[in-house]
């Protein structure tokens, strides 16, 4: 197998047929040596039937249905684990990422790159809020993180087998794949493209999921937030020192216990700091707990092809 295309799909019944039609054109040059793996991430709609029907039109399609919804990153991981190709191309089901970019990505890979990712030059049809939050997210992430994670990229990329195997060898449960691909190294390059609006259906990434992804990204690639606690404690010691001067001064000069304002202020400021640092600790401890439980990431309920290797990789 030369090329594997991996697409996670959740409630994408409207998109599957169009997606497969476009992918068929794109994989034409590699026809007999290509597969299209569609992962149904616990859809509630007709996605699974659509995937099965797509197989009648396009024999390269292989469907995997997960036992329930596990989220984009895990659905993608499931597809990547099933992929057998030497080059692996991943994209979203909604065609926001143009599959035709594969040609250019292939050229870059022929030149020796292991990871060729799409970098969004422009985002159409996305709300100002989504654009602004994505902008802030990537900047903040790189500020906090220990590896350089390419900005404005998603999970639209072509990778070589060795880059994929490196990522699949990483056993963690909270999977921020774009960071993991950045972390493995090798030669990487981005190709700019204009990100179109979603054609059909609606976004499967509400704010809550975006925050979840951001937290995973932050904690998986950096321990800087933990150090924040120490830094904040210096600040609060500083403020406490100034307070002490003020309190002693008032006591000596005015012989009064000064108003409650300063007390309330101090208490609220410091309890805020304490809660913040506790929260940061909690984020890491929660993830340690999840890792320690070492549960399988997902289960496969059904698959269209017997030859898709369903290895739920053993993660120590
Ligand atoms: N997706 C998934 N599981 C989820 C959420 C999303 O498999 O729990 C898939 C979805 O079907 C799509 C891709 O992940 O193929 C990206 O989702 P979406 O396009 O909704 O995200 P956005 O482009 O709005 O960030
Ligand atoms: Mg989308």
């Amino acid at each position: 197998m030369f090329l594997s295309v991996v697409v996670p799909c959740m409630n994408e019944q409207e998109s599957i047929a169009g997606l497969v039609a476009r992918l068929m054109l794109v994989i034409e040059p590699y026809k007999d040596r290509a597969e299209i793996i569609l992962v149904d991430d616990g859809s509630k709609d007709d996605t699974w039937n659509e995937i099965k029907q797509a197989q009648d039109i396009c024999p390269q399609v292989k469907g995997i249905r997960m036992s329930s919804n596990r989220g984009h990153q895990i659905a993608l991981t499931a597809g990547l684990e099933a992929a057998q190709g030497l080059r692996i191309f991943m994209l979203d089901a909604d065609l926001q990422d143009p599959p035709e970019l594969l040609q250019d990505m292939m050229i870059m890979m022929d030149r020796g790159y292991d990871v060729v990712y799409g970098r969004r030059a422009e985002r159409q049809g996305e709300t100002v809020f989504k654009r602004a939050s994505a902008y802030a997210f990537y900047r903040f992430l790189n500020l906090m993180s220990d590896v350089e994670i390419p900005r404005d990229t998603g999970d639209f990329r072509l990778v070589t087998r060795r880059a994929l195997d490196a990522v699949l060898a990483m056993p963690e449960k909270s999977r921020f794949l774009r960071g993991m691909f950045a972390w493995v190294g090798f030669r990487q390059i981005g190709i700019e493209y204009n990100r179109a609006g979603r054609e059909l259906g609606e976004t499967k990434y509400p704010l809550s999921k975006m925050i979840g992804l951001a937290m995973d990204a932050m904690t998986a690639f950096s321990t800087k937030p933990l150090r924040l606690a120490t830094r904040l404690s210096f600040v609060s010691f500083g403020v406490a020192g100034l307070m002490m001067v003020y309190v002693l001064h008032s006591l000596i000069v005015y012989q009064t216990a000064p108003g409650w304002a300063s007390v309330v202020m101090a208490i609220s400021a410091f309890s805020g700091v304490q809660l913040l640092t506790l929260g940061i600790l909690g984020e890491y401890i929660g993830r340690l707990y999840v890792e320690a439980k070492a549960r399988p990431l997902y289960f496969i309920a059904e698959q269209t092809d017997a030859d898709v290797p369903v290895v739920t990789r053993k993660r120590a």
Side-chain angles (χ1 to χ4, degrees):
M1 190 71 63
F2 178 66
L3 174 69
S4 299
V5 181
V6 179
V7 190
C9 315
M10 185 194 76
N11 299 344
E12 300 282 5
Q13 58 179 16
E14 308 94 345
S15 306
I16 303 288
L19 169 76
V20 170
R22 272 203 33 209
L23 281 177
M24 277 173 82
L25 296 176
V26 169
I27 63 165
E28 184 66 27
Y30 322 99
K31 215 160 68 192
D32 307 322
R33 300 172 295 149
E35 59 180 359
I36 300 175
I37 299 178
L38 303 179
V39 184
D40 177 357
D41 184 17
S43 296
K44 298 254 185 299
D45 65 0
D46 231 16
T47 299
W48 182 241
N49 281 330
E50 286 290 326
I51 290 176
K52 285 198 281 194
Q53 278 167 26
Q55 202 180 26
D56 298 336
I57 300 162
C58 175
Q60 286 91 346
V61 168
K62 295 174 180 175
I64 298 176
R65 189 153 78 102
M66 312 238 290
S67 64
S68 76
N69 181 252
R70 289 280 192 277
H72 178 202
Q73 302 290 302
I74 291 182
L76 186 52
T77 303
L80 294 176
E81 290 192 333
Q84 291 170 295
L86 292 174
R87 295 183 177 189
I88 302 92
F89 182 48
M90 55 204 99
L91 72 164
D92 290 353
D94 57 7
L95 290 173
Q96 273 187 289
D97 310 314
E100 292 73 24
L101 210 65
L102 177 67
Q103 274 188 356
D104 293 349
M105 289 183 168
M106 281 287 188
I107 292 169
M108 292 319 260
M109 196 159 273
D110 291 339
R111 291 188 192 158
Y113 288 97
D114 282 280
V115 176
V116 187
Y117 52 85
R119 171 178 265 142
R120 299 158 187 177
E122 204 178 288
R123 293 157 169 261
Q124 290 159 10
E126 292 191 343
T127 58
V128 174
F129 173 73
K130 178 134 192 172
R131 266 188 271 178
S133 60
Y135 180 90
F137 168 64
Y138 283 110
R139 263 108 205 127
F140 187 63
L141 181 62
N142 271 314
L143 195 72
M144 292 308 260
S145 114
D146 303 326
V147 271
E148 179 73 22
I149 295 169
R151 289 170 182 189
D152 301 318
T153 61
D155 284 304
F156 179 40
R157 66 175 80 74
L158 177 69
V159 302
T160 55
R161 173 50 56 184
R162 64 173 182 173
L164 176 63
D165 282 345
V167 164
L168 291 181
M170 294 160 78
E172 57 247 57
K173 305 273 174 275
S174 48
R175 301 185 78 74
F176 182 62
L177 286 166
R178 62 201 81 157
M180 293 165 77
F181 276 107
W183 185 80
V184 296
F186 301 116
R187 288 183 71 196
Q188 312 211 353
I189 195 164
I191 297 185
E192 288 220 332
Y193 70 104
N194 289 335
R195 190 161 210 243
R198 193 179 236 280
E199 292 194 347
L200 299 159
E202 55 191 29
T203 177
K204 310 306 186 285
Y205 260 97
L207 184 61
S208 56
K209 275 195 189 170
M210 285 204 291
I211 292 174
L213 188 69
M215 287 310 243
D216 275 347
M218 221 73 85
T219 50
F221 288 95
S222 168
T223 47
K224 279 185 198 162
L226 286 174
R227 267 173 266 150
L228 191 69
T230 330
R231 298 218 183 113
L232 284 176
S233 71
F234 285 131
V235 175
S236 54
F237 279 134
V239 176
L242 292 176
M243 285 295 248
M244 217 148 80
V245 173
Y246 168 69
V247 169
L248 286 179
H249 170 81
S250 322
L251 203 69
I252 294 161
V253 178
Y254 308 111
Q255 272 115 45
T256 55
W260 47 269
S262 54
V263 177
V264 172
M265 249 165 51
I267 289 176
S268 54
F270 294 136
S271 48
V273 170
Q274 282 170 7
L275 285 177
L276 175 69
T277 51
L278 271 180
I280 293 170
L281 283 178
E283 291 292 336
Y284 284 91
I285 292 172
R287 280 169 180 76
L288 281 175
Y289 177 56
V290 170
E291 298 291 340
K293 280 193 292 187
R295 288 186 180 168
L297 274 179
Y298 59 88
F299 300 104
I300 300 217
E302 256 181 277
Q303 60 187 94
T304 57
D305 284 64
D307 77 315
V308 180
V310 187
V311 280
T312 305
R313 229 163 266 248
K314 185 111 188 83
R315 291 159 203 280

